[in-house]
Amino acid sequence: MTKFLFKTLIAMLVMIASHHALAQTAAPTASATASDVAALRQQVEALTGTVKELQQQVKDQQAALEKANIVQLPQGQGTSSAASAPLPTPLPGTSAQESFPTTDSSVVSNAPTAPGTPAVNANGTATGQFPTTDESVVATPAGAISSATSAPPTETSTGSLTQPITIAGGGKNYMNISFDGMFALAGSSARDLSHIEVGDHDPQQRGFNARNIELALDGAVDPYFEGFANIVFKLDNDNATEVEVEEAFMQTTNLPFGLQLKGGQFFAAFGRLNPMHPHVWDFADDALVHGRLLGPDGLRGVGAQISWTLPTPWYSQLILAAQNGRGSTGFSFRNPGDNGIFFGRETTDREVRGLQDFVWIPRWENSVDLSPTQVVLAGVSGAFGSNETGANARTQIYGADVFYKWKSSHAEGGFPFVKWQSEVMYRRFEAGRGVDETFPVAETFHDWGLYSQVLWGFRKGWVAGLRGDYLHMQNSRFTDDADRQSRSRISANLSWYPTEFSKLRLQYNHDFLESNFFLADREVDSVFLQFEFILGAHGAHKF
Amino acid sequence: MISNTVTPSRAKGGRGPLKSPSFAPGDSLAALGMTGPRRSVVENLNSKINMKNSLRSHVVGGIVDPGSRHQRCRLQLFAAALTLLPVIASAKINVVATLPDLGSLARDIGGDNVSVTVLAKPTEDPHFVDARPSFVVALRSADLLIDGGAELELGWLPPLLQNARNPKLDIGKPGRVQASRGVRLMNVLANVTRAAGDVHALGNPHFGVDPIIGKAIAQHIAQSFSAIDPGNAAAYEANYKKFEAAINAKLQQWGAALLPFKGQHIAAYHDSWPYFGHRFGLEIDIFLEPKPGIPPSPSHLAEVIAQMKAQKIKAIIVEPYHDRKIAERVASATGATVVDFAQSPGALPGTETYIKLIDALVSRLAAALK
């Protein structure tokens, strides 16, 4: 289209030129009458008008093309210099005499635009405008900035994706939506895998398991809050669907002094494993100490949290949350247990009496860079509240965690790396005599455990892992709970991430369960083949 | 590096909640119960302790300003005590750049008036930088953040900003420079599917290596510096003009050096060079990766080798974090040369600045194509 116009234009110009020549040669000759001259003049004027019209058309065409974001690659060859319409920059180095072009409007939009009317190209990207003249830099820098600010952002300020693709296309929707399906094929020497695996999202039966299928939503609520929701669907061993509102919370984005408030249903910031969603765990199942002390679903609940990043030269953050701590997601706290029985006691199931019935969860975490390739993050956490085994029974849990990561300075796709993560937890559980004091004794359990794991991302997409677990549950001659069995475990796995959106993992576990007053010792071997996919824009994960 | 004077304009436009543009002057001080006389005490104190900038650069894991490291441990405690004061003025604009090329431009424009901290290492894959907590510390006290935009840092910058809680760096504030603004991105896809590999919905974000775009980014940076620190606007402007003139002059050299190879096809490990190719009239359009981000498979490499032989391709571009051995295998099978390229200054020897980097890219490629 444009070429055709150019050709027409050139043809017209040639005609004008010849007419001009005719007029010039005709005028001096005596034979030319005044009317002839006038007629010629009219013709010339008409032609000039046509040319101007055509020039305008060409300009309009180019503007339209640019608006449509058709990147006009420079095409200097073959275009006539007779055309006065603005042409794309000639191809670099078209001729040795010409100087190499130092501007290129096809890649940088430097056309001055009125402030406040940001240019946006067809795909919604802000093209912005940086006046190239000196005046804009010196005299009206604020104006230049403010015109840019009203342009739509190229990235949502609070949205967080691992990958640059949102469902409706980059940055053009109000929230990120992702869907994660995680499955496992399990084999085990134990017939009761649900008693061996301590996490609710771990494989719970021999054969296929679908324990964590989640829908995650996040985005900026408004200029003050961002919101996040994680809805988990899982299939029980009879393939019936269960739904969990795993997390749904809002948090502030704009508080001063490094403060942040959070409210809703959320994972307690206790240690490292607890606040992580199972699909980012490095193993196919939960650590023993986490599952047994904080609960199969982890410690999470409805509540509020305040956090403060300290103004220290290293990373240091204080976090304090209060949660209801009721039900199975407040496992060691106000948990009525299965059928109203917890650790053998008939539980009281009561409303909050006062602040002492909330679970209070403080955490202090610190991080330093040991070198440009090595980072250490360490924290201490606590969880304090009431439990339901007696009128005034209390629970205290303490934890310490350390995480180390080395990543190559030449990492591709985040590989290679080595990371080491360890957590130790201790729980003091006052087991009362139950509702109406029907249980024979009141006991205090001192339970503790730890795990330590090393992951080695040895080449792009491949990770080998090794984990050791130990759990000590205080022996009791009164409480025959099957979960109160001390045990240790060694696990090894190999994961392959074809991309960051899919995963295959093969894991082997060897369990040693110790005997106690009620249970015999036994060893269990288990193998899991875990597979996972992620669709959509999934929130980027914290370090 | 350390100045003992705090000019009034800097005290207002520097770091800390006091000077945040979203606050009315004095608001946060009032909230702290700090009014008139105490405020001036704080400022006086601050003028004595504005060495904090240089301290901070030591504890951030990325590439930091050159400075002495040996004092770090001793001074950390001292700095900790000092930084407990929430309101501390500093002489320099505290700039954080996500990537080394942006950091280089910021140094060129800011000169001695800014202190630049770069997060990503020049040799690592810019899409997969760890969101390490020390970056939060850097961002928390930054006056200005320069990022690539166009979803380049999408995998790691959002959680950092979430945790940094620094409203000065919000998109739309003068403290946020997104390099992609004003840049027409190439390879914008009408439809995106991850079946095509790691594609970018907004277009290819590796635009920094086009010197003309580099100028635009530098100008954007100069404008933002001027907005934040109007007292030094003239210096920023002068630095930009100097940079622009240098690029304009260099473009003549670079253009001449690559002119003989105009229109030649070149192979690359990953599709991150369309802007460089476009600038210098080169067709960098054969890739060792079958799809962006997908590791080369033997069958794809066989096809590439056949294609390279047929087209007599002379060069294979690899970046520091790519598997060079694969490129070497292809090179030995085809007679091509492996050319080490990088998007970031500092990734190749002798390329500490943006201009030196482009110098190196042009001369390396010209040598390989000869």
Side-chain angles (χ1 to χ4, degrees):
Chain A
M1 182 67 182
T2 323
K3 272 189 179 165
F4 171 72
L5 282 169
F6 276 131
K7 278 179 188 165
T8 325
L9 196 63
I10 292 156
M12 298 307 261
L13 281 168
V14 169
M15 281 175 66
I16 295 167
S18 58
H19 275 282
H20 266 293
L22 276 175
Q24 274 165 4
T25 49
T29 57
S31 60
T33 62
S35 62
D36 282 342
V37 173
L40 275 169
R41 192 165 287 152
Q42 268 183 358
Q43 267 188 324
V44 168
E45 271 167 14
L47 281 167
T48 313
T50 317
V51 168
K52 277 184 181 159
E53 223 173 79
L54 284 166
Q55 281 180 335
Q56 191 53 47
Q57 273 183 6
V58 171
K59 271 186 192 170
D60 291 348
Q61 286 285 334
Q62 282 206 325
L65 282 172
E66 276 182 15
K67 265 188 191 161
N69 195 34
I70 296 167
V71 178
Q72 286 242 307
L73 290 181
Q75 33 171 291
Q77 311 96 318
T79 49
S80 165
S81 60
S84 58
L87 286 171
T89 322
L91 185 69
T94 302
S95 85
Q97 286 83 12
E98 274 177 34
S99 68
F100 194 86
T102 55
T103 59
D104 186 346
S105 61
S106 71
V107 290
V108 178
S109 58
N110 53 4
T113 319
T117 55
V120 178
N121 69 16
N123 66 2
T125 314
T127 54
Q129 57 272 184
F130 318 122
T132 50
T133 53
D134 310 340
E135 292 77 24
S136 66
V137 181
V138 182
T140 60
I145 295 298
S146 70
S147 72
T149 58
S150 50
T154 54
E155 170 205 331
T156 51
S157 57
T158 50
S160 50
L161 331 178
T162 48
Q163 268 301 295
I165 296 163
T166 51
I167 285 179
K172 285 182 101 178
N173 45 0
Y174 290 116
M175 68 178 171
N176 302 317
I177 302 170
S178 80
F179 184 85
D180 174 85
M182 195 167 71
F183 309 89
L185 172 61
S188 177
S189 63
R191 286 154 197 252
D192 55 341
L193 199 57
S194 60
H195 288 123
I196 299 299
E197 290 301 307
V198 300
D200 193 39
H201 302 287
D202 300 348
Q204 294 289 307
Q205 65 177 347
R206 292 176 180 176
F208 289 96
N209 291 267
R211 302 293 302 175
N212 196 84
I213 296 163
E214 66 180 46
L215 181 66
L217 315 169
D218 76 280
V221 176
D222 57 25
Y224 311 105
F225 299 102
E226 61 197 353
F228 182 92
N230 209 51
I231 313 299
V232 173
F233 304 89
K234 61 187 183 195
L235 301 176
D236 71 9
N237 289 352
D238 296 321
N239 219 42
T241 304
E242 297 173 11
V243 182
E244 273 176 15
V245 180
E246 193 171 58
E247 290 197 282
F249 62 84
M250 63 199 281
Q251 64 185 18
T252 60
T253 55
N254 262 330
L255 290 190
F257 310 119
L259 293 170
Q260 187 170 60
L261 291 170
K262 181 174 180 173
Q265 161 90 351
F266 56 90
F267 275 117
F270 188 109
R272 257 197 92 70
L273 211 50
N274 191 66
M276 286 181 173
H277 291 253
H279 83 93
V280 292
W281 288 353
D282 294 310
F283 286 80
D285 52 1
D286 197 359
L288 295 177
V289 64
H290 177 252
R292 285 290 189 249
L293 300 195
L294 292 187
D297 278 299
L299 178 56
R300 60 186 163 88
V302 191
Q305 175 179 296
I306 183 165
S307 59
W308 177 41
T309 38
L310 278 67
T312 46
W314 70 91
Y315 172 81
S316 185
Q317 180 164 233
L318 284 170
I319 303 166
L320 177 66
Q323 292 183 343
N324 272 347
R326 200 172 186 192
S328 64
T329 60
F331 182 75
S332 294
F333 299 93
R334 297 197 301 124
N335 177 15
D338 287 338
N339 303 316
I341 306 289
F342 192 72
F343 287 165
R345 278 89 173 159
E346 257 186 84
T347 51
T348 64
D349 188 9
R350 60 187 175 223
E351 296 281 315
V352 165
R353 293 166 296 179
L355 289 179
Q356 77 273 16
D357 279 348
F358 288 116
V359 188
W360 294 90
I361 308 144
R363 174 170 171 79
W364 184 33
E365 60 183 17
N366 290 277
S367 171
V368 290
D369 292 354
L370 300 179
S371 78
T373 55
Q374 299 176 84
V375 187
V376 165
L377 177 66
V380 286
S381 315
F384 311 105
S386 311
N387 70 56
E388 299 282 9
T389 60
N392 293 298
R394 305 279 301 164
T395 306
Q396 294 96 28
I397 307 177
Y398 301 87
D401 55 278
V402 60
F403 175 69
Y404 162 90
K405 182 169 183 181
W406 167 85
K407 194 174 92 174
S408 165
S409 60
H410 288 61
E412 183 195 9
F415 294 86
F417 66 82
V418 172
K419 51 186 187 178
W420 172 62
Q421 176 175 322
S422 297
E423 284 190 69
V424 57
M425 290 180 204
Y426 161 76
R427 176 178 67 187
R428 184 179 171 279
F429 189 95
E430 295 172 4
R433 296 185 56 200
V435 72
D436 304 330
E437 312 245 306
T438 50
F439 199 75
V441 294
E443 302 169 278
T444 300
F445 295 127
H446 301 276
D447 304 323
W448 65 278
L450 57 83
Y451 75 90
S452 186
Q453 64 188 38
V454 178
L455 280 301
W456 177 32
F458 54 95
R459 56 174 294 184
K460 192 179 176 187
W462 289 87
V463 185
L466 189 65
R467 179 182 67 185
D469 270 290
Y470 178 71
L471 177 71
H472 174 85
M473 296 295 247
Q474 187 173 309
N475 211 341
S476 162
R477 49 182 85 227
F478 302 99
T479 308
D480 66 343
D481 197 294
D483 290 349
R484 296 199 55 81
Q485 194 168 15
S486 294
R487 54 193 284 200
S488 48
R489 183 173 71 183
I490 184 89
S491 314
N493 71 12
L494 180 67
S495 305
W496 176 46
Y497 297 82
T499 68
E500 57 271 41
F501 306 107
S502 54
K503 174 173 78 189
L504 283 174
R505 171 175 288 160
L506 185 64
Q507 181 172 323
Y508 167 73
N509 280 5
H510 185 76
D511 267 283
F512 309 86
L513 289 89
E514 298 172 15
S515 62
N516 61 21
F517 280 110
F518 301 96
L519 300 162
D521 63 325
R522 60 170 169 159
E523 297 191 18
V524 176
D525 292 290
S526 307
V527 177
F528 309 122
L529 177 65
Q530 190 184 38
F531 48 102
E532 184 193 359
F533 70 90
I534 299 176
L535 287 177
H538 194 77
H541 299 120
K542 285 184 179 171
F543 186 72
Chain B
M1 191 150 174
I2 296 168
S3 155
N4 279 322
T5 57
V6 176
T7 65
S9 71
R10 281 177 191 163
K12 269 188 185 168
R15 183 166 38 80
L18 162 65
K19 295 138 294 175
S20 164
S22 60
F23 285 74
D27 264 358
S28 49
L29 281 176
L32 282 170
M34 298 170 94
T35 47
R38 281 191 66 191
R39 175 178 176 174
S40 62
V41 169
V42 170
E43 282 177 2
N44 282 339
L45 177 61
N46 293 339
S47 67
K48 289 171 193 156
I49 56 171
N50 55 26
M51 63 210 291
K52 191 171 152 280
N53 269 331
S54 55
L55 282 174
R56 179 173 307 104
S57 68
H58 291 298
V59 295
V60 168
I63 301 305
V64 297
D65 264 350
S68 58
R69 269 182 177 271
H70 62 277
Q71 288 178 311
R72 173 180 163 178
C73 295
R74 191 153 35 100
L75 290 179
Q76 255 187 8
L77 205 62
F78 181 52
L82 296 185
T83 48
L84 289 175
L85 291 166
V87 193
I88 293 184
S90 74
K92 297 186 176 196
I93 303 183
N94 201 349
V95 177
V96 172
T98 55
L99 304 173
D101 53 342
L102 304 174
S104 171
L105 297 176
R107 286 192 188 99
D108 284 340
I109 301 304
D112 289 337
N113 295 319
V114 301
S115 148
V116 181
T117 303
V118 176
L119 302 184
K121 286 182 270 295
T123 47
E124 75 182 323
D125 186 342
H127 294 297
F128 294 89
V129 176
D130 277 338
R132 55 168 73 184
S134 61
F135 294 170
V136 172
V137 176
L139 288 166
R140 187 185 60 204
S141 48
D143 299 311
L144 188 134
L145 167 64
I146 308 171
D147 65 324
E151 303 186 335
L152 176 61
E153 303 98 337
L154 205 53
W156 52 282
L157 189 58
L160 288 175
L161 287 171
Q162 218 170 47
N163 223 350
R165 304 159 196 180
N166 184 346
K168 282 194 267 184
L169 311 183
D170 287 350
I171 289 175
K173 296 273 176 66
R176 182 68 174 270
V177 178
Q178 286 198 298
S180 60
R181 257 184 222 289
V183 176
R184 299 238 167 93
L185 298 179
M186 296 175 78
N187 309 342
V188 178
L189 303 166
N191 293 299
V192 289
T193 165
R194 285 186 184 142
D198 272 341
V199 293
H200 296 284
L202 293 179
N204 192 308
H206 305 288
F207 47 78
V209 285
D210 177 349
I212 289 178
I213 294 177
K215 275 195 303 179
I217 300 170
Q219 190 176 23
H220 192 176
I221 291 172
Q223 287 175 355
S224 300
F225 283 179
S226 298
I228 283 193
D229 180 18
N232 288 310
Y236 301 132
E237 184 213 349
N239 287 343
Y240 170 68
K241 296 314 275 182
K242 213 164 78 186
F243 180 78
E244 183 187 35
I247 290 279
N248 287 351
K250 278 286 183 185
L251 271 169
Q252 312 310 317
Q253 293 179 23
W254 295 330
L258 291 177
L259 178 62
F261 316 111
K262 201 184 74 187
Q264 275 201 24
H265 291 263
I266 295 167
Y269 192 97
H270 179 81
D271 183 13
S272 38
W273 301 97
Y275 297 90
F276 187 83
H278 174 207
R279 180 56 44 225
F280 296 108
L282 305 165
E283 307 285 339
I284 305 172
D285 57 0
I286 300 169
F287 308 110
L288 304 195
E289 287 179 340
K291 287 169 180 174
I294 306 298
S297 61
S299 60
H300 177 72
L301 288 179
E303 281 173 35
V304 166
I305 289 171
Q307 194 187 355
M308 285 180 66
K309 278 180 178 164
Q311 296 191 25
K312 298 194 170 61
I313 305 295
K314 286 183 182 168
I316 306 171
I317 292 172
V318 294
E319 291 167 70
Y321 46 85
H322 292 148
D323 190 345
R324 199 176 194 277
K325 279 180 211 145
I326 292 176
E328 282 164 2
R329 271 210 319 268
V330 174
S332 67
T334 58
T337 312
V338 176
V339 189
D340 291 298
F341 254 39
Q343 302 265 339
S344 290
L348 306 171
T351 60
E352 301 76 36
T353 66
Y354 179 83
I355 289 180
K356 284 184 182 171
L357 174 73
I358 308 292
D359 259 339
L361 299 186
V362 168
S363 61
R364 280 164 185 247
L365 193 59
L369 293 176
K370 249 167 207 159

